[in-house]
Amino acid sequence: MRLPRFEYIEPRTLKEAANALAADSKGSVLLAGGTDLLVSMKQRVIQPKRVINLKTIPRLAYISNGKEGLRIGALTTLHDLSLSRTIREQYPALTEAAKEVGAYAHQVMGTIGGNLCQGNRCRFYNQSAFWRGVRRLCFKAGGEICHVVRKPKECHSTYCGDLAPVLMALDSRIKILGPHGERALPLKRLFTRDGKRPLSLKKGEVLKEILIPEPSGKTLYLKWRLRGSLEFPVVSLALHIEKGTNGAIEGARIIFSGVGPGPVEALEAEKMMVNGLLDEEMIEKVSDQAVREISPMRTSIHSPAFKRKIAGILLRQALEQMMKS
Amino acid sequence: MNKFNVVGKREPMLDALDKATGRARFTDDLSLPGMLYGKILRSPLPHAKILYVDLSGAEKATGVKAAISGKDIPKKKYGIVPMAKDEYALAIDKVRYIGDEVAAVVATSLDAAEEAISKIHVDYEELPAVFDPLEAMKPGAPIIHDEVPNNVSATIRKEFGDVEKAFAQSDFIFEDTFETQAVNHCPLEPQAALAMVDHSGKVTLWSSTQIPFFLRRNLATTLDIPESMVRIIKPKVGGGFGQKIDLYAKDFCAAFFAMKTKRPVKFVYEREEVFTSTRQRHPMHIQLKTGMKKDGTILAQQFKVVADGGAYNSTAPLMITLACFFIMLPYRIENLLFEGFHVYTNKPVGGAMRGHGIPQVRFAVEAQLDTIAEKMGIDPLDLRLKNAFQAGEPHPAKLLVQSCGFSDTLIKAAEEIGWKEKRGKLPFGRGVGLAGASFPSGVSNMSHISSGAVVKIERDGAITLLTGAADIGQGAETVISQIVAEELGVSLKEIRITAADTEITPLDPGTFGSGVTLRAGNAARIAAQVAKEKLFEAVAEKMEVEARDLEAKDHRIFVKANPEKGMSLEEAIKVYQYSDRPMPIIGRGSYQPPAKEPTTLLKEDGNFSPAYSFMTQAAEVEVDTRTGKVKVLKMVTAHDCGRAINPMLVEGQLEGSVVGGMGQALYEEVITEKGQVLNPSFLDYGIPTAMEVPPITSVEVETNDPEGPFGAKESGEGTQLSPAPAIINAIYDAIGVSFNSLPVTPERVLEALQKKDKR
Amino acid sequence: MKRILKLHVNGEDFEILTEIHKTLLEVLREDLGLTGTKRGCDLGTCGACTVLIDGKPHLSCLTLTADVQGKKITTIEGLAQDGQLHPLQKAFAEKGAIQCGFCTPGMILTAKALLDEDPHPSEEKVKKAISGNLCRCTGYVKIVDAILSVTDKSSES
């Protein structure tokens, strides 16, 4: 499958990239690792007029410890993340998540920024032009209907990123650069939960940096897929728990991937945990609650009921691991 | 002790270094000056009449040199089995599945070709479609091919013994229904073809085929030109597993456009096309009834098998016949009734795949045997041993089994998996299982299933070997060269092999039915013997001994009884030349597998293979009872392949085949919805990665088959018959659930465990 | 749109005029005649097109050629040095790790990148590293053996 024709731009600074993007935000795409973008382009899911390559911009790939925590440049590759000693020592769950993306070459090519900003996925959307031509054009691809849920003008595609749950569990913030300057926001606000436009980036905005606060508490990442490699998570889970000196839980974050139009945080389940003790009873209660807060759809070959089941099992496993440690 | 010098050695494949350095050329690696690139437009509808194809948009597009649709091609049907031809290279009257070929273009670049096919407009009249073979068999179902009004395009009914009486005499009767899934072969190399036409109109086609001589015949038919005007050359082929047996639109289109444009033309499939528009393993619906005596004797078996053939026949009659015949081994079943139906549906097309119709039915038999064993309180291993067929026994269907190591494979596989210590004794969630099988080494008694070979002894002592055998990565060229080297007493590096070029190399049926080593190996051995005898004559004359007293070994020719007395091969060649005998020293061999009992396979009973291999697969699994995921901890494969000509290559065959079988047990399924393949990619269709592979132990059970070259038989294909049931039986041991359908996904495991809890 | 691109492949410099939307896989195979790099799925899920860029494995089917100008590109054709096969090439051939050979170039290059990073990986690590390189012939057993055999040799020396 050949790539469609496009104009190719190599900006020298991020500002230049942002301006180029703003000049034609609908017809332009940003290229980072390319493992998501180029597949979509080959399949003609997107046919941009212009490709703006971020990789030729210097100093966008870094991992540096500062006083607010760890700063990671958006162009840092997943492979570099997984090799970083700092990350392995301070945020081992992030190392794990990076090592679970695709396979070796995907990790070498893929970047943290690209991984966070990857497109939502759907079995009716991430297919070739021929395949999609068998059915009516779906809403996400520019048509009127959704093949997952037969309602017009709604898209139920699924967010399947590995890193977002962990980084959200770590309470990360992101720095975004646009034509009008920089802004910072909590990572979770990057995601709109709108399948058609899953990211909240405004016209010309580019993800520049990820900030992870000083390590505290304990974080786990568990990913479930059929085979031990290559696949996106069928369901994955990041769990973060902070305990007080008396052993009571002071804060918890439960974030899933693969079960909604963005990373899904089980807020009610999190609340249930606060001030409690991590025991069998709580594990039962919390995992039952959490699966009520997710909304898996039939966007992959796995059934929603099964995804829900696995989500519960993953959370139970993670909580048990936390209890034992 | 290996009494041979080259046979039985772990020799690397002759072309391994070419493949390790990137020098090996596959079809898509070839290009010719002025070459055009082609693309095929495929049907988006599962069943429709083609009303009109408007090519004008494509024809006008930049770079496009020609465009055709079905009405532009000779109205000649093709099919790999002559009696079951039902396909045009491009659809003429109607399309029968999503992905069926409608039109094609060639252009000066792939970009232009891809763009051009989107500019072809086709008017269809949509027809009702049918996707379930059981529905398709019912009266009133949509008719997919007018000539076959009930959609049943091939049937077989065979009965041996007296089944009705045997069931009446049975102490226990077991009846179960099984379902198997569609499986794609997934060769790593997608199908490709490159064609060139010379001034005389002769077509040369380089193709990713595993069956060049049949391709020549089929291509000539579809192009409507004499067979002699077609030359097929097989470059390196990146795996086939049966999928590269058929002629595809890419072969026809490359040749047809090359004739039309007078320029070389290349067509290469996308991975999606490999999934939707080549071939797949037939899904089957199997009803199995087994009658048992109290002592564990299988008294009778009755099968009703419905194979979902998809839109066309491909190998249909052969497939359903093989399914029948190979259920008659490796167990002794005196009374057997098999009814098989190949049914058209508006789905991707079934074809030959490693095991060819047999793994599906094997799965049913082997899974049921374990539930029978459980219910009757017999150890599943003992049950199999009790009914295991033995060499030389009379067979109810007149199969002639001259060598049979089946019982041995059972015992050794069981030992290796730790059967005695583990079966029924592991904690809940862990289990072991095993399953047996048998497979032919090619098919006898059909003259087009003959192999030829030419062996030339060159002036410098090197050996030139011409064989029609099609190496698709299994190492056929290496194995055949080893046979020739052994016969001529030279080392493997002296052999120069040219293979699989229909104009240069002698006839060979190609790589299917596991007959290559036996057929092409025997032909090459005969050719080597003939060449050797010519040399022996001259040497004998010079040494004043009898030719029959000579032997060739270690690059020398000498008197058997007195090895000191002899000369080097080079000297012998000189002796030959100075004796005024004609050069070159050349031997020709033709080999047709003999049949002591005549059979035509499809019509008469009798022995249809020159040799039968036997095997047992054993598995140990761990089932995560929370998530339903099954992890295979260990696989054992015990295989009676006669004498292994190259044990390293045999192991490679077994290991690859076992992992393929694991995929079919646990991960792989071509899922369709209204005829559309939902997972036409390696992301969504889960062939095992290195992460899934457990330790695999290969246990060789060597027998010496009188018919095989140096005693060799099939290896690698039969191996794929029983890994799936071995794993399913291990899961049964682990969690007490016997699965009747494949693949056993975590979702199905969880459902089953839940049901079990409720009971 | 065509552009002149400067590429450094297997120690040689190339200047080619080519379409900007061509992937590295397409340029290697079509413009440079380096057909050792294989096209198995074209969508980044089989690993057959793997090449090394600055020593690290990349899927050339998902790499824009313009993007790798100035970088050191190594394909299977460039792995042997001064006529000396790389130990992995020898091990793959001798241990029976090659059957049809279509996955072999990508597999060997991936293994090389791994061994350059970690000369003594565990069996699990080897499996994980090559898990994006699909093989349908061998069942991976002999491939893993071949890779591990090279690590053994380097530990001996």
Side-chain angles (χ1 to χ4, degrees):
Chain A
M1 242 175 258
R2 307 296 269 209
L3 285 167
R5 286 164 205 281
F6 51 81
E7 190 189 331
Y8 174 73
I9 296 171
E10 290 185 348
R12 277 160 303 175
T13 65
L14 203 55
K15 184 85 189 155
E16 246 182 72
N19 286 335
L21 186 59
D24 178 10
S25 64
K26 282 221 170 100
S28 304
V29 290
L30 298 173
L31 171 69
T35 52
D36 186 31
L37 179 72
L38 265 62
V39 175
S40 297
M41 285 171 66
K42 284 187 176 184
Q43 296 184 324
R44 303 297 190 271
V45 164
I46 49 170
Q47 288 200 65
K49 274 187 282 186
R50 296 201 300 178
V51 172
I52 303 166
N53 188 358
L54 297 176
K55 276 187 289 183
T56 46
I57 303 172
R59 291 184 297 279
L60 286 181
Y62 52 83
I63 300 168
S64 70
N65 247 324
K67 44 181 189 302
E68 306 150 70
L70 193 72
R71 295 164 50 226
I72 305 175
L75 267 279
T76 308
T77 67
L78 303 172
H79 190 59
D80 285 344
L81 286 186
S82 70
L83 291 180
S84 158
R85 225 175 119 174
T86 314
I87 294 178
R88 198 165 59 244
E89 283 165 4
Q90 299 184 9
Y91 313 98
L94 183 56
T95 308
E96 280 314 301
K99 281 159 86 173
E100 292 295 301
V101 178
Y104 191 2
H106 303 90
Q107 292 160 24
V108 165
M109 298 170 74
T111 64
I112 186 170
N115 190 274
L116 290 174
C117 297
Q118 67 181 266
N120 276 16
R121 303 186 61 80
C122 176
R123 65 192 176 114
F124 297 103
Y125 178 75
N126 296 93
Q127 300 280 6
S128 72
F130 165 73
W131 195 99
R132 284 178 288 119
V134 170
R135 294 158 191 264
R136 284 170 64 197
L137 200 60
C138 85
F139 180 57
K140 189 170 168 67
E144 295 291 315
I145 58 152
C146 173
H147 296 296
V148 177
V149 177
R150 301 281 171 153
K151 273 190 194 161
K153 305 206 172 177
E154 247 183 83
C155 171
H156 295 273
S157 61
T158 301
Y159 185 79
C160 298
D162 282 289
L163 297 197
V166 176
L167 289 168
M168 279 167 64
L170 293 169
D171 203 20
S172 306
R173 293 172 67 78
I174 51 172
K175 217 182 260 180
I176 288 168
L177 184 98
H180 311 295
E182 267 184 29
R183 62 178 177 124
L185 67 158
L187 171 61
K188 64 175 161 190
R189 283 185 31 217
L190 176 66
F191 303 105
T192 61
R193 302 184 55 83
D194 170 356
K196 186 156 177 169
R197 284 197 69 253
L199 301 178
S200 66
L201 294 171
K202 293 178 194 148
K203 193 173 172 179
E205 281 188 335
V206 187
L207 177 60
K208 182 186 171 186
E209 188 180 273
I210 293 89
L211 295 128
I212 315 176
E214 286 286 324
S216 67
K218 199 162 188 274
T219 316
L220 278 178
Y221 181 66
L222 298 181
K223 172 173 181 171
W224 201 92
R225 54 183 165 184
L226 197 51
R227 291 173 291 171
S229 182
L230 270 174
E231 296 169 11
F232 287 92
V234 172
V235 183
S236 71
L237 161 79
L239 171 68
H240 179 84
I241 288 182
E242 291 188 27
K243 285 185 193 169
T245 42
N246 60 355
I249 294 166
E250 290 184 339
R253 274 187 289 274
I254 300 166
I255 296 144
F256 292 100
S257 190
V259 291
V264 180
E265 185 164 7
L267 291 165
E268 292 304 315
E270 288 173 359
K271 275 187 213 154
M272 282 170 116
M273 295 178 73
V274 178
N275 296 327
L277 279 171
L278 193 54
D279 55 16
E280 291 291 351
E281 194 190 340
M282 175 183 275
I283 290 175
E284 203 56 34
K285 228 170 56 182
V286 168
S287 37
D288 283 353
Q289 170 57 34
V291 296
R292 284 191 211 120
E293 298 181 52
I294 60 175
S295 50
M297 291 286 174
R298 197 152 197 128
T299 53
S300 72
I301 54 178
H302 306 276
S303 79
F306 179 67
K307 281 188 165 195
R308 208 179 278 277
K309 215 177 278 175
I310 292 295
I313 291 163
L314 284 185
L315 182 53
R316 217 162 282 154
Q317 279 178 351
L319 290 167
E320 279 168 10
Q321 267 187 49
M322 286 279 193
M323 188 170 73
K324 281 178 201 145
S325 67
Chain B
M1 250 293 286
N2 188 358
K3 58 183 173 175
F4 302 113
N5 283 349
V6 191
V7 159
K9 284 249 171 75
R10 302 174 69 86
E11 294 280 355
M13 274 190 206
L14 297 175
D15 54 6
L17 283 177
D18 277 347
K19 288 171 175 173
T21 54
R23 273 196 295 265
R25 298 275 181 261
F26 296 78
T27 303
D28 189 23
D29 300 338
L30 308 173
S31 51
L32 292 167
M35 185 172 83
L36 301 175
Y37 301 83
K39 274 279 152 193
I40 294 167
L41 178 73
R42 298 181 178 280
S43 167
L45 297 171
H47 198 193
K49 263 192 205 159
I50 300 172
L51 299 179
Y52 183 67
V53 182
D54 178 7
L55 299 170
S56 62
E59 281 164 341
K60 275 182 261 170
T62 324
V64 171
K65 294 293 166 191
I68 58 168
S69 68
K71 68 174 173 36
D72 302 310
I73 69 170
K75 212 171 173 176
K76 291 282 183 180
K77 280 187 183 169
Y78 73 93
I80 196 68
V81 178
M83 63 192 261
K85 292 182 182 185
D86 63 352
E87 202 170 355
Y88 295 113
L90 295 177
I92 291 182
D93 47 352
K94 60 178 191 172
V95 289
R96 295 177 172 86
Y97 73 103
I98 295 173
D100 211 348
E101 291 88 6
V102 177
V105 302
V106 285
T108 50
S109 73
L110 251 184
D111 291 288
E114 276 188 20
E115 277 164 39
I117 55 164
S118 65
K119 292 176 178 152
I120 298 172
H121 294 288
V122 186
D123 286 338
Y124 295 104
E125 179 190 323
E126 205 170 343
L127 298 169
V130 59
F131 306 111
D132 176 353
L134 299 179
E135 291 297 316
M137 291 171 87
K138 288 181 185 164
I143 297 165
I144 298 173
H145 292 262
D146 291 344
E147 317 81 75
V148 185
N150 60 355
N151 292 321
V152 179
S153 67
T155 55
I156 186 168
R157 188 183 189 283
K158 291 255 175 206
E159 185 169 1
F160 305 106
D162 188 334
V163 174
E164 204 177 323
K165 197 169 129 203
F167 278 122
Q169 290 169 348
S170 297
D171 296 316
F172 303 100
I173 290 175
F174 300 89
E175 283 190 80
D176 296 284
T177 302
F178 298 87
E179 305 258 2
T180 65
Q181 80 277 38
V183 176
N184 193 276
H185 311 59
C186 295
L188 259 285
E189 178 208 23
Q191 276 77 353
L194 167 65
M196 184 185 80
V197 175
D198 72 11
H199 65 279
S200 72
K202 196 186 79 188
V203 176
T204 302
L205 184 84
W206 291 263
S207 176
S208 59
T209 177
Q210 56 186 89
I211 180 166
F213 288 87
F214 276 87
L215 179 58
R216 176 175 67 171
R217 185 192 296 181
N218 267 308
L219 186 61
T221 305
T222 52
L223 292 170
D224 203 14
I225 60 176
E227 203 172 304
S228 57
M229 291 299 274
V230 175
R231 174 185 184 184
I232 308 286
I233 303 173
K234 179 206 70 70
K236 299 293 174 205
V237 171
F241 317 108
Q243 203 181 49
K244 293 172 179 172
I245 278 176
D246 291 77
L247 174 143
Y248 290 114
K250 50 102 188 169
D251 295 302
F252 171 85
C253 288
F256 188 80
F257 278 117
M259 289 164 71
K260 194 175 158 86
T261 62
K262 311 272 185 275
R263 289 173 70 165
V265 173
K266 183 152 86 179
F267 276 75
V268 185
Y269 281 0
E270 299 290 347
R271 179 55 55 184
E272 182 178 6
E273 292 176 289
V274 180
F275 274 106
T276 61
S277 306
T278 62
R279 296 290 181 257
Q280 61 184 19
R281 194 189 286 297
H282 298 84
M284 281 189 192
H285 178 93
I286 301 154
Q287 284 169 272
L288 171 55
K289 182 174 165 186
T290 300
M292 301 290 297
K293 284 214 297 216
K294 269 191 197 125
D295 67 352
T297 306
I298 304 172
L299 211 52
Q301 280 195 313
Q302 182 175 339
F303 297 82
K304 189 180 171 195
V305 172
V306 175
D308 183 350
Y312 296 98
N313 265 334
S314 182
T315 57
L318 184 60
M319 180 278 298
I320 202 75
T321 305
L322 287 170
C324 167
F325 273 67
F326 267 84
I327 234 52
M328 306 186 298
L329 282 173
Y331 304 108
R332 189 184 308 108
I333 303 158
E334 300 285 348
N335 306 285
L336 184 143
L337 171 61
F338 186 101
E339 289 174 286
F341 305 87
H342 175 275
V343 184
Y344 286 134
T345 57
N346 295 109
K347 288 202 304 214
V349 184
M353 179 178 178
R354 215 169 190 171
H356 204 178
I358 308 165
Q360 299 94 318
V361 195
R362 192 82 260 148
F363 158 63
V365 171
E366 297 294 326
Q368 195 194 45
L369 276 181
D370 269 37
T371 55
I372 290 175
E374 167 95 17
K375 284 173 192 156
M376 292 182 60
I378 306 175
D379 181 282
L381 171 65
D382 294 340
L383 181 63
R384 287 176 170 84
L385 281 169
K386 181 170 182 61
N387 293 285
F389 198 81
Q390 305 297 331
E393 261 188 82
H395 189 278
K398 297 181 192 154
L399 305 186
L400 198 75
V401 179
Q402 306 191 74
S403 66
C404 174
F406 182 53
S407 295
D408 254 8
T409 67
L410 277 167
I411 292 163
K412 288 190 173 152
E415 247 171 48
E416 194 62 41
I417 204 73
W419 186 262
K420 274 205 189 113
E421 310 86 76
K422 290 179 176 167
R423 176 73 183 191
K425 295 171 188 146
L426 293 169
F428 187 76
R430 285 272 289 266
V432 294
L434 51 75
S438 172
F439 204 72
S441 306
V443 177
S444 307
N445 212 36
M446 293 162 133
S447 66
H448 62 284
I449 312 261
S450 300
S451 281
V454 175
V455 167
K456 230 186 333 169
I457 301 174
E458 305 289 354
R459 270 161 44 101
D460 62 357
I463 311 298
T464 301
L465 161 65
L466 304 183
T467 170
D471 195 330
I472 56 170
Q474 81 275 44
E477 291 184 16
T478 306
V479 166
I480 297 164
S481 296
Q482 279 180 271
I483 289 169
V484 169
E486 186 65 50
E487 190 61 46
L488 294 175
V490 299
S491 60
L492 182 58
K493 64 176 194 299
E494 304 299 335
I495 312 289
R496 320 267 173 272
I497 183 167
T498 297
D501 177 334
T502 60
E503 199 135 302
I504 294 173
T505 64
L507 178 76
D508 187 273
T511 294
F512 73 88
S514 284
V516 180
T517 298
L518 192 139
R519 259 181 337 241
N522 269 329
R525 189 179 183 188
I526 294 165
Q529 281 165 348
V530 172
K532 186 170 77 173
E533 277 158 20
K534 288 184 182 172
L535 200 58
F536 277 11
E537 252 176 54
V539 172
E541 195 177 280
K542 170 89 176 176
M543 289 173 62
E544 297 178 346
V545 293
E546 293 293 323
R548 64 171 182 275
D549 294 333
L550 293 174
E551 187 170 353
K553 206 168 186 174
D554 299 327
H555 233 265
R556 283 179 77 242
I557 290 170
F558 54 85
V559 178
K560 263 183 252 177
N562 182 9
E564 298 296 303
K565 197 174 167 193
M567 61 182 76
S568 72
L569 181 61
E570 285 81 358
E571 280 173 74
I573 294 164
K574 261 189 209 144
V575 165
Y576 178 95
Q577 282 179 278
Y578 286 117
S579 70
D580 279 343
R581 286 179 161 82
M583 285 295 275
I585 310 167
I586 207 162
R588 292 186 187 83
S590 294
Y591 175 81
Q592 181 189 357
K596 294 190 178 135
E597 299 276 340
T599 169
T600 56
L601 184 61
L602 301 183
K603 293 190 186 107
E604 294 162 63
D605 301 340
N607 188 43
F608 70 90
S609 179
Y612 301 84
S613 61
F614 294 87
M615 60 290 280
T616 298
Q617 320 291 336
E620 181 171 354
V621 303
E622 184 175 50
V623 181
D624 182 335
T625 50
R626 287 175 118 189
T627 65
K629 198 181 260 189
V630 178
K631 189 176 166 128
V632 180
L633 302 175
K634 181 178 180 176
M635 290 295 299
V636 176
T637 167
H639 197 105
D640 159 24
C641 64
R643 174 174 284 108
I645 304 287
N646 186 328
M648 184 167 79
L649 302 193
V650 169
E651 275 168 26
Q653 281 298 303
L654 303 187
E655 289 159 359
S657 204
V658 164
V659 173
M662 270 179 56
Q664 291 162 47
L666 301 174
Y667 309 108
E668 297 179 33
E669 178 173 17
V670 179
I671 305 168
T672 51
E673 192 177 279
K674 292 186 180 163
Q676 182 173 32
V677 178
L678 293 183
N679 53 343
S681 72
F682 285 142
L683 201 54
D684 295 326
Y685 180 89
I687 84 170
T689 75
M691 298 298 284
E692 277 64 57
V693 175
I696 301 174
T697 308
S698 304
V699 186
E700 268 178 51
V701 176
E702 272 208 351
T703 55
N704 187 355
D705 192 88
E707 190 56 39
F710 298 102
K713 296 193 283 192
E714 174 278 338
S715 85
E717 179 165 12
T719 315
Q720 202 153 89
L721 304 182
S722 50
I727 290 167
I728 268 61
N729 289 342
I731 296 172
Y732 185 39
D733 187 36
I735 59 170
V737 179
S738 176
F739 285 91
N740 286 15
S741 70
L742 296 176
V744 179
T745 59
E747 204 162 343
R748 288 183 186 159
V749 172
L750 284 190
E751 273 168 24
L753 282 171
Q754 234 164 12
K755 253 191 226 158
K756 198 182 163 217
D757 281 350
K758 277 187 194 143
R759 261 187 271 140
Chain C
M1 193 171 65
K2 280 195 173 178
R3 252 205 221 178
I4 291 175
L5 300 178
K6 288 181 186 168
L7 297 175
H8 188 76
V9 185
N10 300 335
E12 258 186 271
D13 287 313
F14 294 90
E15 208 173 75
I16 54 162
L17 179 68
T18 194
E19 302 271 0
I20 203 77
H21 70 282
K22 274 180 120 169
T23 60
L24 179 60
L25 173 65
E26 290 157 3
V27 166
L28 288 172
R29 291 179 57 82
E30 295 162 17
D31 297 48
L32 301 183
L34 295 169
T35 54
T37 307
K38 303 299 179 205
R39 174 185 168 283
C41 76
D42 222 11
L43 295 173
T45 46
C46 77
C49 69
T50 306
V51 299
L52 301 183
I53 295 174
D54 292 340
K56 300 263 186 266
H58 281 64
L59 300 162
S60 63
C61 77
L62 298 183
T63 301
L64 284 187
T65 313
D67 189 33
V68 292
Q69 294 190 89
K71 295 191 174 153
K72 201 178 140 206
I73 301 163
T74 309
T75 71
I76 192 68
E77 290 92 342
L79 196 56
Q81 292 290 321
D82 309 317
Q84 284 292 308
L85 291 175
H86 188 279
L88 277 166
Q89 290 174 307
K90 272 176 86 169
F92 267 61
E94 283 164 10
K95 302 266 175 193
I98 301 173
Q99 287 189 27
C100 85
F102 205 78
C103 73
T104 305
M107 197 69 89
I108 288 180
L109 290 170
T110 304
K112 178 184 188 298
L114 169 72
L115 297 187
D116 287 349
E117 243 176 49
D118 178 358
H120 302 287
S122 63
E123 184 175 333
E124 265 320 288
K125 198 168 175 188
V126 169
K127 283 186 173 180
K128 179 108 187 162
I130 61 164
S131 63
N133 294 79
L134 298 179
C135 168
R136 193 61 153 171
C137 296
T138 65
Y140 307 100
V141 179
K142 297 204 177 331
I143 292 176
V144 174
D145 285 352
I147 298 170
L148 288 172
S149 79
V150 172
T151 67
D152 292 342
K153 269 179 210 153
S154 53
S155 67
E156 280 159 21
S157 62

